[in-house]
Amino acid sequence: MRALKIASYTLTNALGRGRDATLTALREQRGGLRPNDFGTDGPTTWIGRVDGIESQALDGPFSVYDCRNNRLAALALGADGFEADCAALRARVGADRIGVFVGTSTSGIEQTERAYRARPDSDAPLPDWYDYAHTHDMFSLADFVRTRLALRGPAMTVSTACSSSAKVFATAWRHIETGLCDAAVVGGVDSLCRMTLHGFDALQLVSSAPCRPADVDRDGISIGEAAAFALLEPAGREDNGTPCILGYGESNDAYHMSSPAPDGRGAAEAMRAALRRAALQAADIDFVHLHGTATPANDAAEDRAVHAIFGPRTPCASTKGWTGHTLGAAGASNALIAAMCVEQGLMPGSLNTTSVDPQLVCRVLTEGKATPVARIMSNAFGFGGSNACLIVGYPT
């Protein structure tokens, strides 16, 4: 496939706002998880919370979009010069020729939770200030981003649980390849809410301690929130020094609503598809950025899938111990951390992992190291067996 260069990108998560905050934390082996302080009704767990969202209300023409999810999106769009880069591209190719494709799992559902809690009794109507279309509706995220960046190209929100914002890179490629747009803003945003905290707790999938991907004593996830955006354009010969999306692969396990196929066959097929599309071999990949949620079942299935493709020698690690599992934002966050690692020559380790499960056969790094990295396979797997894998790196 024709590579897409990552012309600009930005990250905001529990490690801080902007790329430098994430890079510094990765280099300092410093995570962003904290004991759950989101609300007063539990559960007892650790979370990856972004500071300052509560004081960053959207105002003026954007006030109708005001909710935790869109505030988080605004924080990220305002970092790393991303809005200025989008404005420059808009001036060059036109607002109608730039698409917006974003992923989220719950959008602004926290605004709906607030509306329900604001009622004086259970029979009372929702308050007048509640605006479903501009806050909770899945498309509200794409609508907000497109409006904020003054873009008029095709727009879409993809919601396939934790693979959502990896799949938008594939969506963007198809739109560009078929001529529906010349460039695309892609990304993912998911914010903390009671539904996900209590929902995953009810499924007995959250850990009471900071998550430990691939550790022998891992016992669940730490939920986080994040926003990550990238500006994609077709790569030219002059872009050899710019990280690109080289390939993507998508598949579905067709196995279970909330558990992965234990043999990892769906995940493996997505990785194979990404390699085929990029015209690469497994040996061309220097590092696998694992989905690595830290649940026993997910890590075991991904381990089998990665081993089936790469064998026991290719280094791999998860960054969920740094940021928490950011659900619908995880795919874009993983991919853009991968782009950063390619640029900076860095392989992160799996933070909080002290003793790798001996049942896992892949080469899981527990400490990061500075080393040249040309290409990374970045994984994102979601409920319903939805798998998406991206290859990020320099073209051959």
Side-chain angles (χ1 to χ4, degrees), residues 44-83:
T44 301
T45 185
W46 287 55
I47 60 173
R49 183 173 183 171
V50 176
D51 288 323
I53 296 177
E54 293 78 6
S55 62
Q56 299 290 323
L58 302 176
D59 55 17
F62 306 111
S63 60
V64 294
Y65 297 99
D66 191 39
C67 66
R68 187 175 187 86
N69 212 54
N70 290 333
R71 289 185 188 190
L72 178 53
L75 287 178
L77 293 171
D80 297 312
F82 191 78
E83 287 180 309

Side-chain angles (χ1 to χ4, degrees), residues 211-224:
C211 69
R212 295 162 286 179
D215 193 276
V216 67
D217 293 322
R218 67 190 185 280
D219 61 354
I221 68 175
S222 300
I223 294 177

Side-chain angles (χ1 to χ4, degrees), residues 332-379:
S333 296
N334 255 31
L336 298 178
I337 289 174
M340 177 186 297
C341 290
V342 168
E343 283 183 324
Q344 300 295 326
L346 175 67
M347 288 186 188
S350 285
L351 191 69
N352 308 323
T353 302
T354 58
S355 180
V356 176
D357 185 346
Q359 298 297 314
L360 305 181
V361 291
C362 291
R363 183 185 169 195
V364 178
L365 301 182
T366 56
E367 294 186 3
K369 62 179 181 180
T371 184
V373 185
R375 296 173 206 91
I376 294 176
M377 177 75 78
S378 182
N379 291 342

Side-chain angles (χ1 to χ4, degrees), residues 304-320:
R304 294 186 182 100
V306 171
H307 186 267
I309 305 298
F310 297 100
R313 301 184 61 179
T314 302
C316 56
S318 165
T319 51
K320 298 293 193 292

Side-chain angles (χ1 to χ4, degrees), residues 232-245:
L232 303 180
E233 294 181 82
R237 294 183 181 276
E238 70 281 8
D239 296 315
N240 285 341
T242 302
C244 295
I245 301 299

Side-chain angles (χ1 to χ4, degrees), residues 101-112:
F101 309 104
V102 291
T104 185
S105 69
T106 54
S107 190
I109 194 172
E110 197 261 350
Q111 192 74 354
T112 300

Side-chain angles (χ1 to χ4, degrees), residues 100-105 107 137-143 155-160 164 168:
V100 173
F101 309 104
V102 291
T104 185
S105 69
S107 190
D137 186 271
M138 288 294 170
F139 187 69
S140 70
L141 174 61
D143 188 27
M156 181 187 302
T157 296
V158 174
S159 186
T160 56
S164 302
V168 299

